Amino acid sequence: MSLLPRTLLARVMLLIALLLAVGQFAALKLFDYFESEPRAMAAALQAITVVNYTRASLLAAHENRRLALLSELSGREGVRIYAADMLEEIEPLPRDYLIRMVAEKIRERLGKDTLVVLNHFGIPGLWVSFSLGQDDYWVVIPRIQVDRPFPWQWLGWGALVIMLSLLGAYLIASNIHQPLRLLVKAAGRLSSGEYPPPLPEEGAHELREVSRTFNEMTEALVRLDNERTLLLAGISHDLRTPLARLRLSVEMLPDNECASLKTGMIQDIGDMDSIIHQFLDFVRGIEGEPTQMMDLNTLLTSIADRHIRAGRKLAVSLAPTHLIPLRPLAMQRLLTNLIDNAFAYGSNEVTVSTRITAGNIIVSVLDNGPGIPAAQMERLLRPFERLDTARGNKSGSGLGLAISDRIAKLHKGQLTLLNRPQGGLEARLTLPIQPQVTAQTKQAFRVNVQPRRQ
């Protein structure tokens, strides 16, 4: 989740850069479009002036002097004059908007019969025809100012504008990104069962409102959790005292009178005490316990030894040792709940196995009981949810799996319930292996542990 604001910032910056580039390109195109007509008009006037002066010079000269004048005019300022034959092949103008506009402007001033050709007979320049009596001539203008050099300075100024705009956009986006990053991080901690510190209420008005609302929501959840904890803890504590007196009174009854009733009452009192104990576990909370680098196999071995000493059939198959960050008491409570649940609702044979995948350690608690309907599995991970008909109608508060799921999420893990193909239920705990932990401890702490089977 922490990558979300960073990805959003990158997308915003990329979008702004794209819009700025498109805007700069569109501005250059618009400028070039609106500037093309004045440039075409200037080039046409240049050509028209040369043609008119040339014609005026020839008209003013005597007919016997025209050939000499043509020779004299040709070559001056690069302008050349050739006799024209109207039967010669005329190539069409190139499909260039600016050149065609120049030719149109020339024809508007010199007449519609004026021919305008580019690079005629392989001689570069703009060729414009004119008539003088019965004679036709070409005026070749070699350096007509139609095209202008590429405006590299525009690119420089455009790049400067884009850089300054991106810098301003980055500063604005950063002010949005920082509160969003803190909000995503706080929401992640809240979803895992932790209460984050208050968010700073700064930045844009909308972001301040979001941070303030989130802080108020967090405070409300903290108050609600504290009130619930106080209420349940008080009730549980107050109930245990009369239960203890009641059990003492029942145990003092004579054994020869109603022995079966006495045994049943003691068992009922024990069940009630166990339920109260689960209430206390649920409200006590485990968020404050510090995390330690521990071997999960050590906890499983210790728990398995206690069950074996109690006469239970518990088989253990452990993967090689691997250190991961754990909260010892909370993880012990989770594993004990899963194993006790397997013995309570399954058969008298339970198997605990572990395996290591690419990025996780998976713990499976397997029993041979009747299993659970697939549609009800997620519901059983919520507090006070029970499904008596599917698992033997055992008594309980419905908090064991909820406590286990809460501890799993606190460890950034996941608890799932799966029906086994051969019958029974698998409670699967998936715990992530932190990458930095793997790099530092994989070689130093990996040892082979022989599987324990009972």
Side-chain angles (χ1 to χ4, degrees):
M1 293 182 65
S2 60
L3 294 179
L4 179 61
R6 189 175 302 173
T7 305
L8 180 62
L9 177 61
R11 290 179 178 176
V12 169
M13 296 299 298
L14 181 61
L15 178 61
I16 292 174
L18 180 62
L19 292 177
L20 286 173
V22 171
Q24 290 289 330
F25 180 77
L28 289 176
K29 284 295 183 181
L30 286 173
F31 180 78
D32 186 68
Y33 174 78
F34 286 108
E35 191 198 25
S36 59
E37 185 170 356
R39 284 195 291 124
M41 191 64 193
L45 287 177
Q46 179 187 357
I48 292 168
T49 301
V50 172
V51 171
N52 288 334
Y53 274 118
T54 303
R55 177 188 290 172
S57 299
L58 292 177
L59 285 174
H62 194 272
E63 292 184 359
N64 297 332
R65 291 283 303 163
R66 285 181 180 176
L67 290 177
L69 184 60
L70 286 175
S71 300
E72 185 178 351
L73 291 176
S74 296
R76 286 192 177 186
E77 302 297 331
V79 177
R80 297 180 183 182
I81 303 171
Y82 299 102
D85 183 0
M86 293 298 103
L87 297 179
E88 64 189 56
E89 183 179 356
I90 304 298
E91 297 181 359
L93 289 172
R95 303 181 66 86
D96 183 272
Y97 173 75
L98 192 60
I99 294 297
R100 289 178 178 268
M101 185 180 293
V102 171
E104 183 180 350
K105 299 292 184 183
I106 292 175
R107 291 191 188 100
E108 288 178 359
R109 296 293 186 92
L110 298 181
K112 294 183 179 180
D113 296 332
T114 303
L115 298 177
V116 180
V117 186
L118 193 65
N119 302 331
H120 192 40
F121 291 128
I123 300 176
L126 184 68
W127 292 55
V128 181
S129 69
F130 70 93
S131 298
L132 190 63
Q134 299 297 321
D135 299 325
D136 296 316
Y137 298 94
W138 287 111
V139 173
V140 184
I141 306 171
R143 293 188 299 274
I144 185 170
Q145 300 297 323
V146 176
D147 295 327
R148 55 180 173 78
F150 189 82
W152 294 104
Q153 68 276 11
W154 287 6
L155 290 183
W157 285 109
L160 179 60
V161 169
I162 291 177
M163 293 299 297
L164 292 177
S165 300
L166 285 178
L167 178 60
Y170 176 79
L171 295 177
I172 296 173
S174 297
N175 290 334
I176 300 175
H177 165 261
Q178 181 67 13
L180 284 179
R181 185 181 66 83
L182 294 176
L183 181 61
V184 170
K185 185 177 180 180
R189 293 185 60 181
L190 192 62
S191 65
S192 65
E194 302 180 41
Y195 291 115
L199 296 175
E201 299 178 10
E202 56 188 16
H205 173 72
E206 292 78 5
L207 292 175
R208 291 199 306 269
E209 287 296 318
V210 170
S211 299
R212 183 180 61 81
T213 304
F214 185 86
N215 289 337
E216 292 177 354
M217 180 190 69
T218 304
E219 293 175 1
L221 289 175
V222 171
R223 287 196 303 269
L224 181 62
D225 189 56
N226 291 337
E227 292 171 359
R228 181 199 61 181
T229 300
L230 181 61
L231 176 62
L232 293 179
I235 293 175
S236 302
H237 180 270
D238 292 343
L239 286 178
R240 298 189 86 169
T241 300
L243 276 179
R245 290 198 302 265
L246 182 59
R247 180 166 186 167
L248 181 61
S249 299
V250 171
E251 290 180 347
M252 292 179 63
L253 292 175
D255 293 336
N256 54 357
E257 297 180 6
C258 303
S260 61
L261 179 61
K262 175 181 177 180
T263 303
M265 293 176 65
I266 293 176
Q267 184 177 358
D268 289 340
I269 293 173
D271 290 341
M272 295 174 65
D273 189 67
S274 177
I275 292 174
I276 293 174
H277 183 71
Q278 283 192 334
F279 270 105
L280 291 176
D281 282 345
F282 184 73
V283 301
R284 188 177 295 127
I286 36 78
E287 291 81 4
E289 184 183 5
T291 301
Q292 303 178 22
M293 295 302 300
M294 291 191 62
D295 176 17
L296 187 63
N297 289 352
T298 303
L299 285 178
L300 286 171
T301 302
S302 175
I303 296 171
D305 289 341
R306 289 201 300 270
H307 284 279
I308 293 171
R309 287 195 300 268
R312 290 178 168 178
K313 295 181 180 180
L314 179 63
V316 181
S317 177
L318 302 180
T321 297
H322 203 303
L323 296 182
I324 59 174
L326 296 175
R327 301 172 191 255
L329 295 180
M331 185 55 61
Q332 181 177 350
R333 189 180 308 170
L334 185 157
L335 297 172
T336 300
N337 283 349
L338 295 182
I339 296 174
D340 288 343
N341 192 71
F343 277 115
Y345 293 99
S347 64
N348 197 34
E349 294 183 1
V350 175
T351 301
V352 178
S353 64
T354 63
R355 69 179 186 274
I356 298 178
T357 63
N360 300 295
I361 292 182
I362 298 176
V363 182
S364 297
V365 179
L366 314 172
D367 65 50
N368 297 316
I372 294 175
Q376 305 294 329
M377 288 183 178
E378 291 188 6
R379 184 170 69 85
L380 291 181
L381 296 178
R382 297 197 293 264
F384 307 108
E385 294 286 351
R386 298 176 64 246
L387 197 65
D388 298 336
T389 57
R391 298 282 280 175
N393 198 26
K394 298 291 183 181
S395 61
S397 63
L399 286 174
L401 289 176
I403 294 173
S404 300
D405 183 61
R406 183 177 177 182
I407 297 173
K409 290 180 179 178
L410 188 64
H411 286 81
K412 312 299 181 185
Q414 183 180 15
L415 177 63
T416 53
L417 303 178
L418 303 169
N419 284 319
R420 303 173 63 195
Q422 63 272 32
L425 185 73
E426 175 187 356
R428 180 180 297 175
L429 173 64
T430 304
L431 296 173
I433 300 174
Q434 301 294 339
Q436 66 272 20
V437 175
T438 302
Q440 296 173 357
T441 62
K442 184 175 181 180
Q443 299 298 330
F445 297 102
R446 183 182 292 274
V447 297
N448 292 327
V449 177
Q450 297 297 328
R452 295 171 53 90
R453 298 186 182 275
Q454 302 293 338

